[in-house]
Amino acid sequence: DAGFAGKVDRVWHMLRPALSGLDISPKQAQYLAFIPPYNRTHRRTPTKSDMQKYFRTSPPSVHEMLKTLQRRKLISRSAGVARSTRVLLAPHEIPELE
């Protein structure tokens, strides 16, 4: 359990305002919104496995989403470095999970 079980769907209404200026999909917004609170709670960046458990999806789905976010310059990752995912948006541009 990533420590935020069930929060993405319940706070979807909070993600909508952030989508208008970013031109991203709802699922991309959910992934972006997940990373900062995970960092604050666990004091480390989530792994792909953490995201897979939280979003209840497959490893290839998480991998493709991270590649998409990186290609769109919304996150950065270092190849071969565990827990290197960083959100490249300003804190006020990232929707918060409660």
Side-chain angles (χ1 to χ4, degrees):
D1 186 325
F4 302 106
K7 300 249 179 170
V8 170
D9 292 335
R10 283 201 317 247
V11 298
W12 170 239
H13 66 282
M14 295 176 61
L15 297 175
R16 278 183 200 220
L19 295 178
S20 60
L22 293 176
D23 188 33
I24 61 176
S25 74
K27 185 58 80 174
Q28 290 168 347
Q30 289 178 339
Y31 275 76
L32 287 172
F34 173 77
I35 296 168
Y38 186 97
N39 286 344
R40 285 190 300 273
T41 301
H42 299 282
R43 299 178 191 241
R44 62 181 186 259
T45 311
T47 62
K48 289 180 185 177
S49 177
D50 296 327
M51 292 180 199
Q52 176 193 346
K53 290 175 190 171
Y54 181 73
F55 290 106
R56 296 181 184 151
T57 190
S58 68
S61 294
V62 172
H63 181 74
E64 285 303 313
M65 177 59 74
L66 293 176
K67 282 179 27 181
T68 298
L69 294 173
Q70 187 171 12
R71 193 171 41 251
R72 299 201 59 206
K73 300 188 185 328
L74 298 169
I75 65 167
S76 68
R77 298 184 305 150
S78 299
V81 179
R83 298 187 182 273
S84 64
T85 304
R86 301 284 179 259
V87 176
L88 298 176
L89 299 172
H92 70 275
E93 295 177 300
I94 304 167
E96 289 285 330
L97 294 177
E98 289 185 353

